[in-house]
Structures are given as structure tokens and as C-alpha cells.
Amino acid sequence: MKKHSEDPSPTSEQDGIWSETSENSSGIPKHVESDVQDTVLLSIPLHLHHSSSYAVEDFECPSGINPADLQLFPQWLMPLKLAATFSAVAFLYTFLRDILHPFLSQNKNEFYKIPILVMNKVLPWVAITLLTLVYLPGILAAALQLSLGTKYSQFPSWLESWLSMRKQLGLLSFLFAVLHAVYSLCYPMRRSYRYKLLNWAYQQVKQNKENAWIEDDVWRMEIYVSLGILSLGPLAVLAMASIPSVSDSLNWREFRCVQKNLGFCALLLCTAHALVYGWRKWVEQKYFVWYTPPSFILAVLLPLAILLCKAVLLLPCVDKRLQKIHRGWEKKSLRPKRENVESTSL
């Protein structure tokens, strides 16, 4: 394929995308020729080949094929489980803070918030968490290569599995982000919002206020919405880049540039979007219900850690050593051992 011909030493992203086997033609594991620092948000799915065609008209399994032998989306099983688990935890946490606490402490019935407001806090939390999980294994793999001083060591099996599910995690993250945007656009359509708007107007008239303009809130909302729109753009481009017809039209360098640069750009914008949403809520005690922090604080902890690790890897002293490892350099103490292993295998 043309992506292989563009660069003689493909990265781990390309290996995970274009290879269906764990070894290349030379017998070296695919991760050996990897540049795993720059991970890929979306990769091209593996093609499943079957000897018989399906009866599309009546959706019946053709003869000669046992339905029990056909797996149902095996590559999506673990990402879907992770997304469901994060969604359940985020929903329970938000429900306890926003619904149960007012009901028990102030006897307020705010269960009407569950369909829109509570869900719209769960969706961005899960979206940014899944997006972070796309890039965390690449950071761990780069750290492992730096510590070992070689790219020829075997990755742990759990890390290999994690690297292989990055496309699914990225697409699920994009799905949750789009749902979050749609839910946010539906805010003014709610009947409860209209009632509250009338109450705010009545209170303003009652207090004889001619202007309810709050400069701080205006700037916060403008920046918050702008960053949300900007973060959705790179995610959409990355999702489109996973389409086989689009990815096949890109050479290896173009595909790697899109995945590497836009991926971390999207993560940075999403993190900034959450931070601006919080604004001054970090220090205001009223937002710490039952001694628990607001959900946006928990949501940005892992992305901030990933961005900090990425910044460390971009330092000239670290990046230079990592690039040397990707080009085949290794510690002198490891070369005789590897040569002995290769000679023994021959």
C-alpha cells in the first residue's frame, strides 16, 4: 500500500492501522518498528473475510456457517463496556450532587433535571475521558521505551490491547461530544427554562433593576461556547479521517500529521472548554456539595496530566532521545543481548 512506501520506518499508529498480523515480513513484532509517542485517535478497521455471502433479502444466516462462530463487533466490546461504565459512574455522581442533595437537604424536587441537565453533564465528562484514554497508552509506551532505551522490547499484552482499541474509543468520544452539543442547543427549548426566564425577569422588575448585565458571566459564556465549537471541529475531522475512502487518499505523512496534531489539539481545546466552564467554581465553597468537587474538576484531572506528560516528551532533551530510539538506537548494554537472541533464532 502507498502508505508503506512513503516512509521506511512506520510508526506504531501505522502498524496498528495497516497490519492485521502481529508480525511483519521479517518476523519482528509490529511494535518493534513503532513510534508510539504520537498515537492515533482513529484507525482503519480490520476487514473480516467470510467464505460465504449473506442472504441480505431475508437476513438469514447462509448454510455452512454456524452463527455461534460469528462474533458481534469484537473490537467494540471493551470500548463499549468502558463507555457504559464511565457513563454510569458519572450519572450516579451527578445525580447525588444535583438531584438527591437538594431533595434531602432543602426538600426540593428537581428530578425534572435528569433528562437534560444531568445527562448534559454526563456526556462531556465521558467524552473527554474517552478522548484521554486514546492518548494515554501512547504516553505510557513512549515512557516504556525511554526507560528501556530500545524499541525492540515487547510491550505488555494489556498495552497492546489498549493500543488496538484507540479508534473505537475515539469514535465513541466524538459521539458523546456531538450529543453534548445537541443537548446544549436544546436548553432554550425546555419549558422549565422559560419559566425560570420569566421568574428572573419578574425579580429584576421587583428589584427595580434596569440592567442585569454581568460582565464576568458574559465573557465566561462567550469563551466557553467558542472553545466548545472549536474543539468539536478537530474531532469531526478525525472522525472523517477514519473513513477508508478518506484515509486511503492520504499518504503516510499526511495521515500521521492529521492524527497527531489534530488529536492533541482537540484534547487541549476540550480541556480548556471545561476549565473555562468552571471559571471561579474551583474556589467557591457552595459548589462542593457533600464535600465532593464539581464534576468538571474530576473530568479535567486526567486530561491535564496527559497534556503535562506530552509537554515533557516535547522537551528537546527528551524528544531527541526518543527520536533516536525510534530510528533504531538502543543502549549499548542491550545490543549484545539482542544480537545473541537473533543469532540463536536463526
Side-chain angles (χ1 to χ4, degrees), residues 223 225 234 294:
I223 299 174
V225 174

PDB file of all heavy atoms in Angstrom, residues 223 225 234 294:
ATOM      1  N   ILE A 223     -16.533  32.757  25.822  1.00  0.00           N
ATOM      2  CA  ILE A 223     -15.319  31.953  25.636  1.00  0.00           C
ATOM      3  C   ILE A 223     -15.635  30.465  25.742  1.00  0.00           C
ATOM      4  O   ILE A 223     -15.116  29.646  24.973  1.00  0.00           O
ATOM      5  CB  ILE A 223     -14.254  32.359  26.670  1.00  0.00           C
ATOM      6  CG1 ILE A 223     -13.880  33.831  26.498  1.00  0.00           C
ATOM      7  CG2 ILE A 223     -13.015  31.490  26.544  1.00  0.00           C
ATOM      8  CD1 ILE A 223     -12.932  34.352  27.570  1.00  0.00           C
ATOM      9  N   VAL A 225     -18.459  28.814  25.064  1.00  0.00           N
ATOM     10  CA  VAL A 225     -19.140  28.300  23.878  1.00  0.00           C
ATOM     11  C   VAL A 225     -18.178  28.253  22.687  1.00  0.00           C
ATOM     12  O   VAL A 225     -18.189  27.294  21.902  1.00  0.00           O
ATOM     13  CB  VAL A 225     -20.373  29.166  23.561  1.00  0.00           C
ATOM     14  CG1 VAL A 225     -21.013  28.738  22.242  1.00  0.00           C
ATOM     15  CG2 VAL A 225     -21.390  29.078  24.682  1.00  0.00           C
ATOM     16  N   PRO A 234     -11.976  19.720  15.295  1.00  0.00           N
ATOM     17  CA  PRO A 234     -10.939  18.689  15.098  1.00  0.00           C
ATOM     18  C   PRO A 234     -11.452  17.270  15.312  1.00  0.00           C
ATOM     19  O   PRO A 234     -11.011  16.353  14.617  1.00  0.00           O
ATOM     20  CB  PRO A 234      -9.884  19.061  16.150  1.00  0.00           C
ATOM     21  CG  PRO A 234     -10.101  20.511  16.415  1.00  0.00           C
ATOM     22  CD  PRO A 234     -11.558  20.745  16.266  1.00  0.00           C
ATOM     23  N   PRO A 294     -17.018  19.595  42.111  1.00  0.00           N
ATOM     24  CA  PRO A 294     -17.851  19.579  40.899  1.00  0.00           C
ATOM     25  C   PRO A 294     -17.326  18.584  39.876  1.00  0.00           C
ATOM     26  O   PRO A 294     -16.139  18.255  39.855  1.00  0.00           O
ATOM     27  CB  PRO A 294     -17.761  21.020  40.393  1.00  0.00           C
ATOM     28  CG  PRO A 294     -17.379  21.831  41.582  1.00  0.00           C
ATOM     29  CD  PRO A 294     -16.520  20.941  42.431  1.00  0.00           C
TER      30      PRO A 294
END
